[in-house]
Each structure stands twice: as structure tokens, then as C-alpha cells.
Amino acid sequence: MLKIQDFNKLIVANWKLNGSFSFTKEYMDQIRFKTIKNQKNCLIICPPVPYISEFKSSNLLTGGQDCSRYINGAYTGEISTKMLKDMGCQICIVGHSERREFFNDSNEIIHEKLNNCIEDKIIPIFCIGENLNQRKEGRAKQVIKDQLMASLPKDYSDENIILAYEPLWAIGSGLIPKIDEISEIHSYIKEEVLNNQNIKILYGGSVKAENYKKIIDLKEVDGLLIGGASIQIAEFKKILEF
Ligand code: PGA
């Protein structure tokens, strides 16, 4: 299992429903990261499932964008955590707001998926975050706490789970919270919700070359979950220079 505590910062690329075999090849040719060698920072690519095994010939780590709540059986179209493991995945994004919104992933389903990941030694990146109304009403912290409490697996630890704070209104919108708002929410999760456990928390939502540095330099931020900018190769390379 990936030893996440060995890393200082983690960068996770979420391709979402984008890519092709030729794009995957170009990506592997262009994106270089000395992640394993210096053991300081870590880069993980989450392409759509058909492209994951292509990365075996590179030194890039891979992850899934989602997994099944089921282990096996008559569930057409599903991909289990065991299958992700078989393909060489180290992590899996779970509870992304797009899964919650378009595929009805409830807190209960997310809880089951997180359990499956932990059972199969895949590190889940558990996504949480408030929508714009909840933020305007001053309920962001409560919403995040409720999401965490409703889905965190019983046996989670700072070695087997990563969190990602992704305010919904920031995803794909070009908007990001103020820098001190990001550190405030991350500190709140670490100190008040998780009682100072050393759980890694990534930030996600409209991270780009022009804004990533201020975010990743925050001591409360353990890395970035990047969507749109991760599939623009030139843009993404700039981010990987940090
Ligand atoms: P974005 O997506 O970087 O395109 O805003 C982030 C995410 O959805 O994980």
C-alpha cells in the first residue's frame, strides 16, 4: 500500500470523462515526475478505467475515479476495488461531488465504497465540500462535518485514507475560495473534526498554474486534486514544477 505519510505533498490528476489511447501515450511521454526517487512529493493520475493499465509502462502512479459499493456479482457496469488493485491502482477517488450529483452517491453508498477501498488496500480520496447556498448561509463547516461523520469508515487512520476539500462552487468554475478560507477549513477539519489526527487533506476546485502555488504552499494543505488543468498538458507541467 502507498505510504502516504512519507510524502510531503500529493498531486492527484482527475481526468474525469476525458482521454483516449493516443492522449494517454502523449501524456506519459510529456509528464515526468521524480516522485518515487525523492520520496518527497507524489503524483497520481486518475484516468478513465480503460487507460489505467497503459500507465504500467511508465513510472506514474494511478488511481480510479470511483469504485463499486459491491464486491462482486451481478452488477453490470461496475468496477470493484479488487479490480482497481489488480490494475495497479494505489488510490481511488470516492464521493466526488459529480458522483453525488449525477449518480446518486449517498453518504451511505460512499461509506460502503470507502470500506471496500480500505479492505482492499486502496487509499480512498474521500471528497467533501459545501455548495454555494450552504456557504452563503454560513453552513460550510457544518456541512463538511456532517459529510465526514456520515461516511468515514470505522477503522480509518492517517495511513489508509486521504480527504479532499472541494467546495462545489469552485469545481470547474474558475472560482476559488480566498487563500485564508482554504487554510481555515483545512485547519477546522484537522483540529476540530478529526482531533488533530494527521490525516492528509487535499484541496480541489479550479486549481490552475496561476493559482496553485499559493494553495500548495499552505501548511494545512497536503496536496491538490486537479480536474480541468490536469488534462491540459502544458498547464499541468507548470503546476508540477513546484
Ligand atoms: P477542476 O475539478 O480542477 O476542474 O475544478 C476538480 C475536481 O473536480 O476534482
Side-chain angles (χ1 to χ4, degrees):
M1 197 162 83
L2 194 64
K3 288 204 163 28
I4 44 178
Q5 291 300 333
D6 286 353
F7 298 113
N8 181 24
K9 307 277 178 178
L10 296 106
I11 294 192
V12 179
N14 176 11
W15 285 16
K16 308 192 181 188
L17 186 58
N18 297 293
S20 62
F21 279 110
S22 57
F23 177 75
T24 304
K25 187 175 178 314
E26 188 191 348
Y27 203 85
M28 288 190 301
D29 287 346
Q30 301 259 347
I31 302 292
R32 306 253 173 254
F33 199 70
K34 298 187 202 84
T35 158
I36 304 299
K37 269 188 219 142
N38 66 16
Q39 287 289 315
K40 207 168 149 249
N41 301 317
C42 179
L43 169 66
I44 307 178
I45 315 295
C46 301
V49 167
Y51 309 125
I52 291 174
S53 47
E54 296 296 296
F55 281 87
K56 277 199 174 143
S57 60
S58 76
N59 72 344
L60 295 171
L61 302 175
T62 51
Q65 297 176 12
D66 184 41
C67 60
S68 181
R69 66 192 289 200
Y70 303 110
I71 313 272
N72 56 24
Y75 302 106
T76 303
E78 290 288 271
I79 306 273
S80 69
T81 42
K82 281 197 175 47
M83 293 170 186
L84 290 175
K85 192 80 194 173
D86 251 2
M87 278 189 283
C89 287
Q90 305 286 342
I91 62 143
C92 182
I93 300 169
V94 174
H96 191 283
S97 63
E98 287 151 14
R99 299 295 317 174
R100 293 179 194 255
E101 184 180 350
F102 304 125
F103 302 94
N104 301 323
D105 271 15
S106 62
N107 288 334
E108 174 60 27
I109 291 173
I110 292 165
H111 176 71
E112 291 172 10
K113 291 180 174 185
L114 292 171
N115 279 334
N116 292 350
C117 286
I118 290 181
E119 176 72 28
D120 287 324
K121 310 233 170 330
I122 291 225
I123 295 180
I125 299 188
F126 173 19
C127 302
I128 46 178
E130 81 287 357
N131 66 30
L132 196 53
N133 272 344
Q134 292 161 338
R135 185 179 189 87
K136 281 184 182 155
E137 290 163 8
R139 294 196 291 124
K141 286 182 179 170
Q142 190 57 46
V143 167
I144 291 164
K145 184 175 181 182
D146 291 347
Q147 288 171 338
L148 280 167
M149 292 303 129
S151 301
L152 269 176
K154 260 199 227 96
D155 50 356
Y156 78 93
S157 77
D158 57 14
E159 291 181 353
N160 67 13
I161 195 166
I162 297 172
L163 304 180
Y165 169 54
E166 296 206 301
L168 269 61
W169 52 274
I171 295 175
S173 65
L175 303 170
I176 59 164
K178 295 198 185 88
I179 295 299
D180 45 357
E181 288 171 342
I182 297 176
S183 54
E184 189 187 334
I185 295 281
H186 281 233
S187 305
Y188 166 73
I189 298 170
K190 283 191 192 197
E191 288 158 21
E192 290 178 50
V193 185
L194 301 176
N195 299 321
N196 287 318
Q197 295 174 71
N198 202 18
I199 305 265
K200 298 228 177 257
I201 310 179
L202 315 182
Y203 168 80
S206 291
V207 174
K208 300 195 175 4
E210 68 182 35
N211 62 21
Y212 84 98
K213 188 80 174 105
K214 276 197 196 134
I215 306 173
I216 204 161
D217 282 349
L218 292 170
K219 69 172 186 340
E220 300 83 6
V221 171
D222 300 299
L224 304 169
L225 177 52
I226 308 178
S230 77
I231 49 168
Q232 294 167 28
I233 294 178
E235 175 90 6
F236 195 44
K237 276 169 124 172
K238 287 188 203 153
I239 296 176
L240 296 179
E241 278 163 16
F242 80 97

